[in-house]
Amino acid sequence: MNAVDVIRLSRRYGRGDSGNALSDLSLTIPVGEVHGLLGPNGAGKTTLCRILSTVLAPTSGTATVLGSDVVTQAAAVKRKLAVVFGGDRGLYGRLTARQNLSFWAALYGLSGRRARERVDAVLSVVGLDERAAERVDTFSRGMKQRLHLARGLVAEPPVLILDEPTAGLDPVATREFRELVRALRRGGSTILLATHDMAEATALCDRVTLLDRGEVLATEHPDDLGRLVTGHERVEADGVPPDVLADLCELPGVRAADPADDGWLRLECATTAATSAVLDVLVRAGVTRLRTGRPTLDEVYLRTYGGRGLAVRA
């Protein structure tokens, strides 16, 4: 059984294709995987998360969480899944951290000693046990985000959805949050991470699905998504004479030749043969400052979406 199975899922708002938030989307997430949903605002990430969490009904298609249908078995899905949002949504500032979690534990059906033990456990996991008696409106943004994660964990859900969880966090809080996610993965949790931050997807995800306008463009390991930009690899060279550049652009399989940020020439090659031909031309021309590699995830994002919704954070 997979953690999440989505089959030809669609969600329409209004009439016509322009109203499609999701369009014939299919996706499978195995148990124990950290899976990224990557795309600009409006790509359909939040709509998919809302459907999986039973907040929104699909127009057509099916979605299951650990075998339970999100429409016909919504109560069972709610016991198996929790959602963590970025920002301040869902927290009660006048209550303490412990009171917030005790309230959410009660909503999940926990009470008495079991609830107290579970609240204490998740406060410790997110590093808030020493601040448990303080009001949430005195917390920093990073502390509030830790409390969001604790709220999602209080019922011990096997599947966790993180919707832009580090939005607005400073680098230190972001790093701490990522460490918490890695710890959850080691504990066997399945995590669906919706983000438009390439650094976050690269750091945390086993696989990433690129979404655009409600459709799946590709699902790959972050390191393999370079195939969306180039079929094989990238060649970079320094000090390429103009006449040699012209020859390189005429080679079969050379998709693009652009200057990199550091002034080197970057050539994208579609095949192994094209890469070999590029290197041969450069060496025969006396160019010795060379390097090769695959495009990074942020380069894939830029090539796929342009500058629309781009976010790169350290």
Side-chain angles (χ1 to χ4, degrees), residues 55-140:
V55 173
L56 194 65
T59 303
S60 61
T62 61
T64 60
V65 176
L66 290 172
S68 298
D69 187 275
V70 299
V71 175
T72 62
Q73 298 169 298
V77 170
K78 291 176 182 178
R79 292 192 295 268
K80 299 175 180 179
L81 177 146
V83 183
V84 175
F85 296 104
D88 298 332
R89 292 173 291 176
L91 298 178
Y92 298 96
R94 294 185 179 182
L95 301 182
T96 67
R98 186 183 303 281
Q99 288 169 336
N100 267 272
L101 293 180
S102 296
F103 171 73
W104 284 99
L107 291 182
Y108 282 113
L110 302 179
S111 61
R113 181 178 177 181
R114 184 185 176 201
R116 291 192 298 272
E117 290 177 347
R118 187 61 194 155
V119 168
D120 287 342
V122 295
L123 283 168
S124 179
V125 166
V126 301
L128 290 177
D129 42 342
E130 295 184 359
R131 310 291 295 271
E134 297 179 22
R135 284 174 39 152
V136 171
D137 57 12
T138 67
F139 283 7
S140 68

Side-chain angles (χ1 to χ4, degrees), residues 3-4 8 13 39 47 51 79 84 92 110 122 127 133 153 161 198 232 245 258 275 279-280 286 299 307:
V4 174
R8 304 194 67 177
Y13 298 97
T47 298
I51 290 174
R79 292 192 295 268
V84 175
Y92 298 96
L110 302 179
V122 295
L153 296 174
I161 294 178
M198 286 76 65
H232 183 62
L245 173 58
D258 302 301
T275 302
L279 292 173
D280 182 60
E299 290 170 338

